[in-house]
Amino acid sequence: MELLIKGSTELNKMFMALQRTASGLRHDFGEVENLQQSLRGARDFVQKASARIEESILSDLLLVRPSAGLLTPNVSHDGDGRDEFVLSLSGAANFVRGNPHFAISLALRSGDETKIALVYSPIDERLYYAEAERGAYIFSAYHSARMKVSNLSEPSELTVAYNTTDSRKTIGDVRRTGCPALDLAWVAAGKFDAFVSDPLDYAEIAAGDLLVREAGGRIEMGADLIATNGKVEL
């Protein structure tokens, strides 16, 4: 097959599956914008759209690894116990309100380790991706560039994304985007210096975890999820 992006054939097959799914998702997004007078109706529509994502991409992914399982926030399919695709629509609340800041997060895990990670923003068609021990990249308009975390450490210079419900003390220039998968991708790309979040469904962060680490950052999943460029103390 002709490779679309720098990386393995499996990575490219996963990206093609994402692109096919994203095409339908862009159509759904246009429909959601027409439902804004009824927030409840928009939520119901997005829930159905999310289910269609899982159905449409599963058949494509099984061509990549036929015996793999599938984990999403709503569905779990058992596979061979070794390989597993982890999939999530991150930023669904933004989608509901006609806000284009959402993404599909997709990871391939083998033997309890994430091997391939993709975070794809369907509206601007921007892809953040990584393979274990091969670095992290950003791809847009057929141009691929390597990603590296920022090197800032002074609190006054930082831009930090938060996804928290408490009134904890914040530092730096605060961002609350509502899309954890893209928050993690932006830490990897140096757009954010750190991301702090309440605990999240693993399906939403599996891909972002590898992106951050392959871009030279650190991520800790304890009482809170904290991803940084490795120089920020939080």
Side-chain angles (χ1 to χ4, degrees):
M1 62 172 289
E2 181 180 354
L3 299 183
L4 299 176
I5 53 178
K6 181 180 180 180
S8 68
T9 299
E10 277 190 320
L11 170 69
N12 276 267
K13 287 181 177 179
M14 290 170 67
F15 180 38
M16 286 190 291
L18 276 184
Q19 287 181 308
R20 283 190 285 270
T21 298
S23 177
L25 197 58
R26 283 190 289 272
H27 175 269
D28 290 338
F29 182 70
E31 293 297 317
V32 164
E33 290 185 304
N34 296 328
L35 293 171
Q36 289 308 296
Q37 298 303 314
S38 171
L39 192 57
R40 182 175 180 179
R43 286 197 183 101
D44 291 343
F45 183 86
V46 171
Q47 286 181 339
K48 293 176 182 177
S50 182
R52 285 200 303 275
I53 289 173
E54 295 168 1
E55 291 178 6
S56 66
I57 203 170
L58 178 58
S59 59
D60 283 337
L61 293 178
L62 289 180
L63 296 176
V64 180
R65 292 271 179 112
S67 57
L70 177 69
L71 175 67
T72 81
N74 305 309
V75 177
S76 177
H77 291 296
D78 293 330
D80 59 8
R82 183 186 63 184
D83 300 326
E84 181 178 57
F85 290 106
V86 185
L87 173 71
S88 178
L89 175 62
S90 184
N94 288 340
F95 193 155
V96 167
R97 297 304 298 269
N99 180 336
H101 195 75
F102 61 90
I104 307 171
S105 175
L106 175 62
L108 172 61
R109 290 176 56 78
S110 299
D112 294 326
E113 293 184 3
T114 302
K115 299 297 186 181
I116 298 176
L118 305 96
V119 173
Y120 187 55
S121 174
I123 303 305
D124 65 6
E125 300 183 68
R126 193 176 302 273
L127 174 72
Y128 304 85
Y129 68 96
E131 291 189 89
E133 300 181 5
R134 294 186 180 183
Y137 296 83
I138 183 171
F139 173 82
S140 179
Y142 299 96
H143 174 70
S144 182
R146 187 150 190 173
M147 294 194 300
K148 285 291 185 182
V149 294
S150 71
N151 60 6
L152 300 178
S153 60
E154 289 296 323
S156 62
E157 298 177 341
L158 303 178
T159 299
V160 182
Y162 285 86
N163 182 58
T164 55
T165 55
D166 59 25
S167 57
R168 74 184 68 194
K169 182 180 179 181
T170 60
I171 67 169
D173 190 2
V174 173
R175 296 287 187 272
R176 299 184 185 273
T177 76
C179 184
L182 282 176
D183 287 337
L184 289 169
W186 284 15
V187 171
K191 299 175 185 291
F192 291 155
D193 304 299
F195 172 56
V196 181
S197 175
D198 293 336
L200 291 164
D201 191 299
Y202 184 68
E204 191 161 15
I205 60 175
D209 174 26
L210 183 63
L211 289 177
V212 170
R213 290 188 285 109
E214 285 295 318
R218 296 178 185 170
I219 186 164
E220 300 175 4
M221 301 181 197
D224 293 324
L225 183 151
I226 301 176
T228 74
N229 59 8
K231 300 175 177 61
V232 175
E233 295 293 334
L234 296 173

